[in-house]
């Protein structure tokens, strides 16, 4: 089961619709075009088109499974008392005095440019169940960071 926001769920559904209605017909057309070029035993274009179609179908199937297993979290029922999935956490790196803000989301919704980190990252794991004012040391690939939680919201 994958917990996610309504927004994240809607994006996955839109991506599935795009793949099925736009990309799948393109892949079929590429196969048909390559097939029309003659002998399939020596047709690398045909082989490449078939392989691309297989990758596309695999992606569609994985997306369908993710959507089927998705559980949409109602943020209005969540508490700001402690960090959990879909929490927006404002914090300070106590070593560098740098302010940071991340929203903890499912792996499928993670997007660092939007400030959304996967619940499976070391930082998210280190923040889970912590409260405002807590200072935590988190091991990350480049060492250990010390963070103070300043605010939790949704």
């Amino acid at each position: 089961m994958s917990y996610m926001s309504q927004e994240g769920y809607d994006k996955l559904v839109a991506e599935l619709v795009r793949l099925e209605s736009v990309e799948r017909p393109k892949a079929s057309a590429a196969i048909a075009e390559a097939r029309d070029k003659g002998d399939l035993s020596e047709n690398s274009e045909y082989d490449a088109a078939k392989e691309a179609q297989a990758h596309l179908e695999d992606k569609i199937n994985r997306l369908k499974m993710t959507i089927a297993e998705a559980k949409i979290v109602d943020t209005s029922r969540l508490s700001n008392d402690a960090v959990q999935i879909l929490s927006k956490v404002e914090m300070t790196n106590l070593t560098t005095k740098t302010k940071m803000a991340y929203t903890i989301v499912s792996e499928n919704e993670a997007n660092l440019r939007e400030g959304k980190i996967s619940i499976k990252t070391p930082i998210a794991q280190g923040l889970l169940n912590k409260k405002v004012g807590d200072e935590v040391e988190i091991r990350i690939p480049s060492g250990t960071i010390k963070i103070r939680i300043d605010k939790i919201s949704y």
Side-chain angles (χ1 to χ4, degrees):
M1 189 178 317
S2 179
Y3 293 95
M4 64 181 62
S5 66
Q6 182 68 52
E7 174 190 359
Y9 180 83
D10 292 344
K11 281 182 180 178
L12 289 179
V13 170
E15 175 69 359
L16 178 61
V17 168
R18 186 186 72 76
L19 291 176
E20 289 181 328
S21 63
V22 176
E23 297 302 323
R24 186 181 271 162
K26 278 186 191 175
S28 295
I31 290 170
E33 184 179 318
R35 188 182 304 124
D36 290 343
K37 292 187 177 175
D39 184 9
L40 297 182
S41 64
E42 294 180 13
N43 190 335
S44 62
E45 200 173 316
Y46 176 78
D47 293 338
K50 288 294 279 182
E51 188 174 324
Q53 183 187 42
H55 286 298
L56 176 64
E57 291 303 324
D58 182 52
K59 187 173 183 176
I60 287 171
N61 289 331
R62 281 186 280 124
L63 206 46
K64 282 182 176 179
M65 190 178 302
T66 300
I67 289 168
E69 294 174 348
K71 173 127 178 70
I72 298 169
V73 177
D74 180 1
T75 55
S76 69
R77 302 184 69 180
L78 297 176
S79 165
N80 290 342
D81 293 343
V83 177
Q84 54 195 313
I85 193 156
L86 300 184
S87 291
K88 180 177 180 182
V89 184
E90 294 177 30
M91 61 202 110
T92 303
N93 179 326
L94 295 174
T95 306
T96 63
K97 304 297 184 226
T98 307
K99 300 270 185 193
M100 304 177 287
Y102 294 118
T103 301
I104 299 173
V105 297
S106 69
E107 269 189 299
N108 298 316
E109 293 181 86
N111 183 334
L112 199 52
R113 286 188 182 139
E114 295 176 6
K116 296 178 179 180
I117 60 171
S118 167
I119 193 161
K120 294 186 177 183
T121 61
I123 291 177
Q125 287 293 306
L127 293 173
L128 286 178
N129 299 316
K130 302 296 188 273
K131 299 176 178 353
V132 172
D134 284 357
E135 294 182 5
V136 292
E137 286 191 18
I138 302 172
R139 290 195 52 69
I140 58 173
S142 62
T144 302
I145 58 172
K146 190 168 184 177
I147 292 175
R148 181 185 64 236
I149 299 172
D150 299 324
K151 183 178 177 184
I152 302 168
S153 60
Y154 290 98

